[in-house]
Amino acid sequence: MAAMMTSEGRMSLTGSVMSSAGGSTTRFTTLSVTRPADGITHVELNRPDKSNAMIRAFWSEMVDCFNQIAVDPRCRVVIFSGAGKLFSTGIDLMDLTSDIRQLAGDDVARVSWNLRRFITMGQETFSVIEKCPKPVIAAVHGACIGEGVDLITACDIRLCTQDAWFQVKEVDIGLAADVGTLQRLPRVIGSRSLVSELALTARKMFSDEAKSCGLVSKVFADKEAMMAGALEMASEIAGRSPVAVQGTKINLIYSRDHSVPDSLDYMATWNMSMLQTHDVLKSAQAAMEKKSPADVPFSNM
Ligand SMILES: CC/C=C\C=C\CC(=O)SCCNC(=O)CCNC(=O)[C@H](O)C(C)(C)COP(=O)(O)OP(=O)(O)OC[C@H]1O[C@@H](n2cnc3c(N)ncnc32)[C@H](O)[C@@H]1OP(=O)(O)O
């Protein structure tokens, strides 16, 4: 697959075409996938003229994209952002109404069955981020609404710009959020009271509050500064042992969903093989020699 420099000086995997480890290629219409530096994949929501509203093609493209990233040994960390003036206005409202109207089934059971499949497909769109062992850094500017919040709560790290705002908007369009926010947001920000307030009133939460409640870990002056910060953070992660990094993501998510004893048990089983990696010896030696992990060549995984 050809790699080339974009007009912005980034390394591009031929625009919105992504190659899996096996060499097959997928063309995305709603996502742009580039490689700005070694080990770093940048996935960008790419419908800027429609405020990155999420259409049905986006759902399946997300699944394909993250399943490919999961097995791409060249990718060690992902940055996720939105093209244009804002991150995303959530589900495409035109799509939503036509999808619901066109649901097949000649009685209530069959219509419900198909609606359930539709909802679980929507859920998988964002669950794939969590299932992908590579850490994902969400970089949010401007509005992040509805499904945009579903998306970022499935990411591992969230950054935003000073002008960013977040809105759990679903109650305003007559539904209970059903593709991840109600399940993940309470685990991201500690206060269930705040989660309930945001989800029940659909009020906007601006960047300062997002930082103080822990939804984001850093706020940047503007998008340029945020993307530079995201790239710097991604480089820090990409320079470390992929065995350590991916094991950390997987075990953090496991422990979020299980008891401490169960998680410790899982961890012990995980590391009984992973501790045998060469990366431990290499890293320990580098530490003794006062070298940075970034100076140690770790093979891809
Ligand atoms: C199974 C799953 C079921 C449902 C899940 C739902 C979760 C959700 O996502 S709920 C949230 C839905 N989103 C919204 O309610 C936001 C709608 N958008 C807005 O309110 C505004 O766009 C805005 C954020 C206030 C920004 O306004 P402005 O700066 O004036 O831009 P616009 O002119 O409105 O937008 C530009 C362009 O984009 C189109 N667009 C924006 N958002 C959506 C959207 N969500 N769906 C479809 N289209 C959208 C807008 O129509 C404009 O298009 P033009 O062709 O230029 O008119």
Side-chain angles (χ1 to χ4, degrees), residues 49-51 53 59 85 89-93 96 118-119 145-147 169-170 173 175 178-179:
D49 52 330
K50 293 287 177 192
S51 306
W59 289 10
K85 71 176 185 181
T89 56
I91 200 163
D92 189 292
L93 293 169
L96 176 67
F118 173 73
I119 295 164
I145 306 175
E147 279 198 341
K169 175 94 170 147
E170 281 81 347
I173 59 163
L175 56 99
D178 53 3
V179 293

Side-chain angles (χ1 to χ4, degrees), residues 144-146 149 164-172 181 185 189 191-213 215:
C144 176
I145 306 175
V149 178
W165 52 274
F166 304 83
Q167 192 175 21
V168 183
K169 175 94 170 147
E170 281 81 347
V171 288
D172 279 356
T181 291
L185 190 60
I189 60 181
S191 164
R192 292 191 73 87
S193 172
L194 179 58
V195 171
S196 299
E197 184 199 327
L198 294 171
L200 294 170
T201 67
R203 80 158 164 89
K204 293 179 183 176
M205 180 165 74
F206 294 93
S207 58
D208 290 349
E209 188 183 3
K211 169 82 165 57
S212 67
C213 77
L215 177 60

